């Protein structure tokens, strides 16, 4: 199974990605987690991307694509993977399309978690209290929403045109959304 999960900041992407990856027995690969790990450990990559991420902007495509390519080359990705938070730009979409085409390994589904914008900011501010992420403050949250709407939301059309999109209503409890997502993804991959 080769899956992507997309959603605005606060849509519940990370939480549901973990559940989906477990269900299909594939590794969940979160570019955001990889960046945060590198920032925490002050690696050269972490030092390079910290200010960008703290401002709510996107890390440059070449940097992000290199990280994804080397992660996908690891043995645990041979049977499949779930990418959480990648691709986020059209450049990254083309990169991934090419990468998978060269390996004759097409995607099975692209999950889109949809939540109304008003609910997203509230969820992120609540998460800030719990997780203390540096990019979960009100200004950065608004910037991340704008960047998502401008650069990432349009990518959904690309996957819709390819017949890969699975739209999941992300409102409700974590358990409700998870079950809804499992049912829709199961139906999509069986079809
Ligand atoms: P996330 O945990 O997915 O919300 O990602 C946190 C932050 O990491 C984003 O706001 C971006 O600054 C950066 N980031 C994660 N994935 C990407 C990507 N595919 N392209 C560019 N920047 C990314």
């Amino acid at each position: 199974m080769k899956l992507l999960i997309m959603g605005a900041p606060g849509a519940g992407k990370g939480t549901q990605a973990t559940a989906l990856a477990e269900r299909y027995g594939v590794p969940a690969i979160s570019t955001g987690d990889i960046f945060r790990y590198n920032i925490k450990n002050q690696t050269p990559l972490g030092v390079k991307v910290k200010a960008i991420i703290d401002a709510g902007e996107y890390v440059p495509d070449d940097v992000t694509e290199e990280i994804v390519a080397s992660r996908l080359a690891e043995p645990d990705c041979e049977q499949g993977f779930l990418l959480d938070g990648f691709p986020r730009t059209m450049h990254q979409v083309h990169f991934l399309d090419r990468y998978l085409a060269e390996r004759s390994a097409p995607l099975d589904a692209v999950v889109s978690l949809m939540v109304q914008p008003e609910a997203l900011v509230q969820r992120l501010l609540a998460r800030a209290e719990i997780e203390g992420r540096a990019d979960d403050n009100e200004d950065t949250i608004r910037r991340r929403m704008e960047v998502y709407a401008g650069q990432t939301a349009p990518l959904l059309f690309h996957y819709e045109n390819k017949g890969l999109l699975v739209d999941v209503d992300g409102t409700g409890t974590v358990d409700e959304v998870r079950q809804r997502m499992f049912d829709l993804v199961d139906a999509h991959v069986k079809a």
Side-chain angles (χ1 to χ4, degrees):
M1 283 289 275
K2 290 172 209 70
L3 304 166
L4 307 184
I5 186 162
M6 298 178 58
K13 210 163 36 81
T15 306
Q16 300 300 350
T18 308
L20 195 57
E22 210 167 277
R23 180 171 182 86
Y24 289 108
V26 293
I29 300 168
S30 156
T31 42
D33 281 351
I34 294 172
F35 290 137
R36 278 186 289 278
Y37 174 86
N38 280 275
I39 291 172
K40 194 168 149 222
N41 291 288
Q42 298 185 339
T43 67
L45 171 68
V47 171
K48 184 148 110 187
V49 302
K50 182 178 181 345
I52 300 172
I53 292 179
D54 284 353
E57 304 294 336
Y58 282 171
V59 173
D61 287 329
D62 58 338
V63 175
T64 309
E65 288 164 6
E66 199 183 311
I67 285 163
V68 171
S70 64
R71 182 63 188 86
L72 290 181
E74 287 181 31
D76 64 333
C77 293
E78 263 167 36
Q79 301 309 315
F81 52 80
L82 167 67
L83 282 171
D84 159 10
F86 183 94
R88 265 178 153 103
T89 66
M90 209 56 207
H91 194 279
Q92 294 176 12
V93 167
H94 293 315
F95 165 85
L96 185 64
D97 279 353
R98 215 168 38 241
Y99 183 95
L100 296 175
E102 279 165 8
R103 288 158 184 80
S104 305
L107 290 171
D108 294 285
V110 176
V111 175
S112 164
L113 270 184
M114 304 289 282
V115 175
Q116 291 306 311
E118 313 84 74
L120 293 173
V121 179
Q122 292 316 312
R123 283 191 185 191
L124 287 168
L125 291 172
R127 181 172 80 186
E129 305 251 313
I130 300 163
E131 295 181 16
R133 263 175 62 166
D135 60 350
D136 278 346
N137 63 77
E138 199 154 351
D139 286 346
T140 307
I141 288 170
R142 296 211 184 280
R143 181 63 194 145
R144 283 160 59 210
M145 298 287 179
E146 278 170 19
V147 175
Y148 180 83
Q151 299 206 47
T152 304
L155 309 185
L156 295 173
F157 295 111
H158 175 83
Y159 292 116
E160 188 171 27
N161 289 335
K162 291 189 159 203
L164 289 171
L165 200 64
V166 179
D167 261 317
V168 179
D169 176 358
T171 48
T173 66
V174 170
D175 289 355
E176 283 164 357
V177 175
R178 185 179 53 227
Q179 196 53 54
R180 196 180 292 145
M181 173 179 72
F182 284 172
D183 292 347
L184 290 166
V185 175
D186 285 354
H188 178 90
V189 296
K190 275 190 205 120

